[in-house]
Amino acid sequence: MPAFKMLDINLADGSSKVTDISELFERYLGGTGVGTSLLLDTPTGLDPYAPESPIIFAIGPFSSVYPVATKTVALFRSPLTGNLGESYAGGRLALAMYGAGFHVIRIVGHAEFPCYLTIDEEKVEVHRANSLWGSSALAAERMLRDHEESSYKRSIVRIGPAGERRSPIAGATVDSARHFGRLGLGGVMGSKNLKAVVVTGGRYWPIVEKAKYNDFYKKLFDAVVKSTAMKKYHDLGTAMNVVPLSRINGLPTRNFGQGFFEGASDISGESFAEKHLTQHIACAHCQTGCIHMATLRTRFNPEEHQYKTFKISYDHELIYSFGSNLSIQSPEEILQLLLLVEKQGWDAMSIGVTIAWAIDAFQAGLLNLSQNMTDGLVLNFGDASTIEKVLRRVGNGHNEFYRDLEKGSWFCSNKYGGKEFAVAFGKNEAPGYMTGLYAFLGYATGVRHSHLDSAGYSVDQKNLNENKTDVELVKGLHAEATWRMALNSLVICLFARNIYTKEAILEGLESLGIHGWDEARLMTTARRIHAMKMRYKERCGFRFDDLTLPGKLASVFTSAGKVSSDRFIQQVAAYKELTAGDMLELPDEYR
Ligand code: SF4
């Protein structure tokens, strides 16, 4: 294999350098493993918005070489949780980084002026972005696409106004419709005065063992296109979950007030497909094409018959956060709200759940109208037109209350009250599965407080028919969380996790000429990376003992019945014990 290279950029003076970091890839495979080791090497206690706080983009040895190894991981200190910021996006970024010749791009510093970066195989440049500053995430991409030419595929990562305002729930948008959504990468980019990063390049690594590579590639390709493993993602996509989840009481509805949504069939994957689906698109080097694009036609001049058409991506998480959880059952209204979210560049889950908190808090009398906090708006579930006004006021920074809403539900509930209504784990707003204890436990204990850390929602659903003990289930959750460190170090799309089995990964490494890996080494490395993330979180102040079940979830009836706070805390303690075992795998320098 050629060497793995890292591009370091300092925005303070525009300098850059390239380092060979093959040794880190040898130790930690790539992606999140390598990125975590680089993050752990930063000084403890750096503010997420300090110029020295890095943004690390990383891909892995399979990126752009094998099908569906399409993701890029971004690592940073999260301004939302205060600890590990880790977010994944597809699109063309992994391909562009590979083409530019960099498996890692690390950005530090604070530019003196709003800027964007261009990176290709020959040069790195910092450009003034004064005319882009203030533009929506959608407009910024259009302008950069027209302005920055390349003979190769380009990837454009940019923030919207929410990131410029350093909102800790701002994400960064990648290409047409992918996002580093969670944990505040957009705010960190904004704090660096960095509007966008444009990456391109045409380098391709020579494949040494061509016959082996071709055989393995074909096997993977057939598994992706001919088996049923990926079909559901292409067909209705994750939006197919809406109705089945509601049927088992697992679809968060009205700020997690119940799991059954009476309007589920109106906002189902089928309903979106029939009324609004206009195109499937795919990340570069993926044959599945699971990204569902809806068309929304809006009237932009109320005086005249003038219309504009937008394409907006949708999936289960977006439908939950702006549909059932706000009790909105019109796909068109959901898309209108999502369009505002896309333009501002917020994480749709975090802003949606924070608005749901505001509605509950308002109705509990905590946001007192006489204090003019909402400036006359009466907040109700199901009232899309008022929620649209709320979003616009947050975007305009209308008053202190609206400015606070883009700091997330945990911040707001600490300032205004209503902690029991803030459905956040480790300060991160909850995803769209209310299936029972293991969904909640997964959000709480996962390194990035995501449903994708350990898929607890799947543990709950399988156990509806299995009746395993809590001891067995928490072990299963922990095993999945650690195994995903290997998948995320290769930065494959997790939809292909059943194709990239241990055996397939080992064969894939061999076929690229990366020798010396066996199952034991793979598993030890995965546990080591998991432990390194936990060590980083601890250094930033995270404690398992601080985790609690959000008040609202202690009384709601989930797919698996009621979840008691005591049982939740017991299982957190059991998970903590299992993690203590991983800590034995920590490299000496992080002990
Ligand atoms: S399955 Fe979907 S998200 Fe995953 S790589 Fe393909 S298009 Fe991207």
Side-chain angles (χ1 to χ4, degrees), residues 245-373:
L245 275 175
S246 178
R247 283 206 189 110
I248 60 166
N249 245 14
L251 181 66
T253 298
R254 290 181 280 283
N255 197 25
F256 290 75
Q258 63 184 59
F260 172 79
F261 182 43
E262 59 285 354
S265 58
D266 295 320
I267 59 167
S268 64
E270 292 83 350
S271 175
F272 266 83
E274 279 159 21
K275 294 181 187 139
H276 292 282
L277 178 62
T278 190
Q279 189 183 16
H280 290 83
I281 58 177
C283 304
H285 209 159
C286 171
Q287 296 76 23
T288 301
C290 82
I291 306 165
H292 290 62
M293 303 298 292
T295 305
L296 177 71
R297 189 163 171 259
T298 61
R299 189 167 180 167
F300 71 91
N301 182 350
E303 309 293 317
E304 296 172 38
H305 282 284
Q306 292 183 5
Y307 299 87
K308 196 165 179 186
T309 302
F310 293 90
K311 281 190 190 167
I312 303 161
S313 66
Y314 67 87
D315 61 19
H316 169 73
E317 298 300 344
L318 302 178
I319 294 175
Y320 128 75
S321 60
F322 276 87
S324 61
N325 208 38
L326 294 176
S327 201
I328 295 172
Q329 59 190 73
S330 150
E332 186 144 15
E333 286 177 343
I334 294 171
L335 290 170
Q336 267 159 358
L337 297 174
L338 289 176
L339 178 59
L340 291 179
V341 172
E342 281 283 1
K343 286 182 172 178
Q344 283 289 331
W346 289 301
D347 168 19
M349 274 189 266
S350 280
I351 190 75
V353 172
T354 305
I355 291 172
W357 162 83
I359 296 172
D360 261 347
F362 179 88
Q363 300 204 347
L366 295 171
L367 307 179
N368 193 332
L369 270 180
S370 67
Q371 291 176 350
N372 251 349
M373 252 181 217

Side-chain angles (χ1 to χ4, degrees), residues 68-71 90-91 178 230 233 281-291 493-496:
V68 209
T70 52
K71 301 281 177 168
R178 297 287 83 189
M230 305 296 283
Y233 298 114
I281 58 177
C283 304
H285 209 159
C286 171
Q287 296 76 23
T288 301
C290 82
I291 306 165
C493 171
L494 287 178
F495 289 165

